[in-house]
Amino acid sequence: MGRASRPAQSHGWRVYADFLLGAGHSRIAVAAQPSVYWAAGTRVLRDHLAPRGGTVVELDVSALDPAALCDEVVGRRATALLLLTGHPEPAVPIVRSVRRDPRLAGLVIGAPAGQPEFAGWAEALGDDGAAVPFLRYLPERLTPLGARVGEALRERLAEAPSFVAFEGYDTIAVLADVLRSHGADRARTAGSWPRVAVEGTRGLIRFSRAPGTGVWQWARPPLQVVDRDPAAPDRFRILHTG
């Protein structure tokens, strides 16, 4: 099962699709590397957009260099290009090529999986890396615990922590709570997930399991579509929540 086909990730991709539609984008090009995860995400996007008049065309970046990719996007008359690729390669060369192509001056570049969150993105692309919307699992306001953890991480990292840092902290907090309550017995741990309720950095964490998945997840963590502000690329703008 691809990660994007699980409930929390599927919800995120649908929220991203709603953001695109709300911003006036119904012709979407997806620049993707072969991957079960990327394929699952593309499928969720297509299934959500199609009944609402949207179309998704897939472009294989393993078969197209950045210049040829730009030609394809122009030919398909797409208004948004989503990067379902690794970073820095091939994402960085693609972004640079798109930004320098006058035919694509109005094109929105998106990166749903969150590559623009990281400092390496801004360092590699500078201003070209701004205005690239992505998903991140953060609320508009962190919990008091989240504020304390964020400040401690900022001091240690000498920069603002990414949403992945808060995910990591919450994962450890949940595991620690389960082990304290139920010990290391695997059967008792497995049976404890429906009763877990842990105050994390981003809210109260509870788990559920969608039928047929076999996976317990925090099904609806707080979710945002954000980008780096072109006026100040080290600052993030919240564009949409879901």
Side-chain angles (χ1 to χ4, degrees), residues 13 35 67 70 74 104 135 140 148 153 155 165 178 198 206 241:
W13 290 80
S35 159
C70 288
V74 171
L104 299 174
L135 288 167
E140 291 192 51
R148 295 195 300 272
L153 288 171
E155 290 179 5
V178 170
V198 175
R206 296 181 182 274
T241 59

Side-chain angles (χ1 to χ4, degrees), residues 10 12 20 30 35 54 60 72 101 156 224:
S10 294
L20 291 172
V30 172
S35 159
D60 183 356
E72 285 288 331
D101 192 325
R156 174 163 293 194
Q224 305 170 346

Side-chain angles (χ1 to χ4, degrees), residues 30 64 67 115 119 136 180:
V30 172
L64 298 167
Q115 299 94 321
R136 68 175 180 179
R180 279 195 302 266

Side-chain angles (χ1 to χ4, degrees), residues 95-190:
V95 172
R96 286 176 177 155
S97 186
V98 170
R99 295 298 198 209
R100 284 154 180 71
D101 192 325
R103 301 172 299 172
L104 299 174
L107 184 78
V108 168
I109 306 173
Q115 299 94 321
E117 168 85 6
F118 301 104
W121 175 276
E123 291 167 1
L125 286 164
D127 291 346
D128 284 345
V132 179
F134 64 93
L135 288 167
R136 68 175 180 179
Y137 292 89
L138 283 180
E140 291 192 51
R141 291 184 180 276
L142 293 167
T143 66
L145 172 64
R148 295 195 300 272
V149 169
E151 186 59 34
L153 288 171
R154 183 186 293 270
E155 290 179 5
R156 174 163 293 194
L157 299 171
E159 62 183 23
S162 72
F163 74 90
V164 178
F166 293 103
E167 287 184 324
Y169 185 97
D170 286 343
T171 298
I172 294 169
V174 167
L175 291 174
D177 181 81
V178 170
L179 290 171
R180 279 195 302 266
S181 301
H182 303 285
D185 180 78
R186 294 182 65 181
R188 292 182 63 194
T189 298

Side-chain angles (χ1 to χ4, degrees), residues 12-86:
W13 290 80
R14 288 192 294 270
V15 167
Y16 197 90
D18 286 337
F19 160 73
L20 291 172
L21 289 171
H25 301 288
S26 59
R27 299 182 65 87
I28 314 300
V30 172
Q33 292 176 296
S35 159
V36 172
Y37 176 51
W38 300 132
T42 301
R43 184 169 59 251
V44 173
L45 287 170
R46 179 179 286 112
D47 290 348
H48 194 70
L49 288 167
R52 296 160 178 80
T55 60
V56 175
V57 58
E58 296 179 61
L59 305 175
D60 183 356
V61 299
S62 65
L64 298 167
D65 64 22
L69 183 71
C70 288
D71 291 340
E72 285 288 331
V73 174
V74 171
R76 304 292 185 128
R77 295 187 293 116
T79 63
L81 172 66
L82 307 187
L83 303 179
L84 307 189
T85 69

